[in-house]
Amino acid sequence: MSLARNTQKCPFCKETIAAGAKRCKHCHSDLRASKKTWFTGLNNFRSGFLGGVLFAVVLFVLGYLHFT
Ligand SMILES: [Zn+2]
């Protein structure tokens, strides 16, 4: 039981690795959260921004077609 608490699953290869491991011993993927969080945050910001722009364009076109 204590062994299971100190392990986690690698998100890339699904092998059991030590909790808090910085690098998977099976597939050698980088598991450090800081780098991933920064990158994911940037991607979320970009997709959110693009979604907002698309939404604004659709609203603008709909309004333009409606009022002319
Ligand atoms: Zn792995």
Side-chain angles (χ1 to χ4, degrees):
M1 283 310 233
S2 63
L3 188 72
R5 259 205 300 275
N6 292 325
T7 59
Q8 62 175 338
K9 273 194 172 177
C10 171
F12 302 101
C13 68
K14 306 298 179 191
E15 290 284 350
T16 304
I17 53 174
K22 291 181 174 69
R23 190 173 286 270
C24 177
K25 65 177 179 179
H26 299 284
C27 66
H28 306 289
S29 295
D30 195 346
L31 302 171
R32 282 173 294 184
S34 57
K35 191 178 162 190
K36 231 182 290 176
T37 304
W38 177 83
F39 193 68
T40 315
L42 186 72
N43 274 347
N44 283 346
F45 174 76
R46 277 176 57 191
S47 56
F49 178 73
L50 281 175
V53 167
L54 263 175
F55 187 66
V57 167
V58 168
L59 275 182
F60 178 78
V61 169
L62 282 176
Y64 186 80
L65 290 175
H66 189 261
F67 290 111
T68 52

